[in-house]
């Protein structure tokens, strides 16, 4: 006996119950006026990418000081500093590449440009890590990797740093 194909579900079949938010689903979306868009942008200032690079460097320096204090050896601190450098220097290179004037015609081209610089950043980081055993002697991999990971995690905090512009309306 052949199986029957299931009937396609209607969009309303997914709703468990109507809420106050559901009542607004059918309202058309109104585009912002120029003044509304400017007020929205003014309330959300852009994050400086150089501030991110500086924060990565500060976290790397802090990890190096803690590694030195914990181990008492300068080679461990140097390893941590090199791990921070393996993240911070490629990030700075990417910021330089992305901050230059560009004639990108659309969002897709800008995304491609970002992706290209991200690959440059990753390649530079991998290259620096491959050079680590030759440049930092003796090398402490745990210290290097701790600084590397903590400096990379600074990127996740970037959204928390976005301050709000204080309104003059109050």
């Amino acid at each position: 006996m052949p199986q029957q194909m299931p009937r396609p579900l209607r969009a309303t079949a997914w709703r468990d119950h109507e809420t106050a938010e559901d009542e607004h689903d059918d309202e058309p979306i109104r585009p912002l006026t120029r003044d509304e868009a400017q007020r929205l942008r003014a309330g959300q200032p852009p994050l400086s990418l150089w501030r991110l690079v500086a924060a990565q460097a500060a976290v790397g320096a802090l990890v190096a000081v803690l590694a030195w204090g914990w181990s008492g050896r300068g080679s461990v601190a140097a390893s941590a500093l090199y791990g921070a450098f393996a993240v911070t220097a490629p990030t700075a290179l990417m910021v330089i590449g992305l901050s230059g004037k560009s004639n990108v015609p659309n969002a897709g081209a800008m995304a491609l440009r970002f992706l290209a610089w991200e690959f440059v950043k990753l390649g530079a980081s991998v290259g620096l890590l491959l050079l680590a055993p030759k440049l930092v002697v003796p090398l402490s991999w745990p210290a290097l990797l701790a600084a590397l990971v903590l400096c990379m995690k600074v990127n996740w905090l970037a959204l928390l740093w976005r301050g709000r512009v204080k309104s003059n309306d109050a």
Side-chain angles (χ1 to χ4, degrees), residues 4-132:
Q4 289 183 340
M5 296 295 288
R7 291 183 310 153
L9 295 175
R10 294 186 349 226
T12 57
W14 291 99
R15 291 187 181 164
D16 292 334
H17 60 285
E18 292 290 323
T19 64
E21 292 176 6
D22 292 336
E23 294 172 6
H24 301 292
D25 286 346
D26 298 331
E27 293 179 12
I29 297 173
R30 181 183 62 83
L32 296 176
T33 65
R34 182 182 184 124
D35 291 336
E36 290 172 334
Q38 286 175 344
R39 277 196 307 266
L40 183 64
R41 278 191 211 110
Q44 299 177 353
L47 173 70
S48 168
L49 296 177
W50 288 111
R51 185 174 173 193
L52 177 65
V53 173
Q56 284 181 335
V59 166
L62 178 65
V63 171
V65 168
L66 291 174
W68 188 22
W70 179 71
S71 70
R73 296 188 347 222
S75 63
V76 174
S79 297
L81 278 177
Y82 191 84
F85 179 75
V87 173
T88 306
T91 301
L93 180 66
M94 183 177 175
V95 169
I96 290 169
L98 288 176
S99 63
K101 281 285 189 184
S102 67
N103 297 328
V104 286
N106 57 34
M110 184 61 193
L112 188 60
R113 180 177 178 212
F114 177 82
L115 186 64
W117 277 106
E118 185 67 28
F119 278 120
V120 169
K121 181 178 100 169
L122 288 173
S125 291
V126 168
L128 287 170
L129 289 176
L130 290 174
L131 290 173

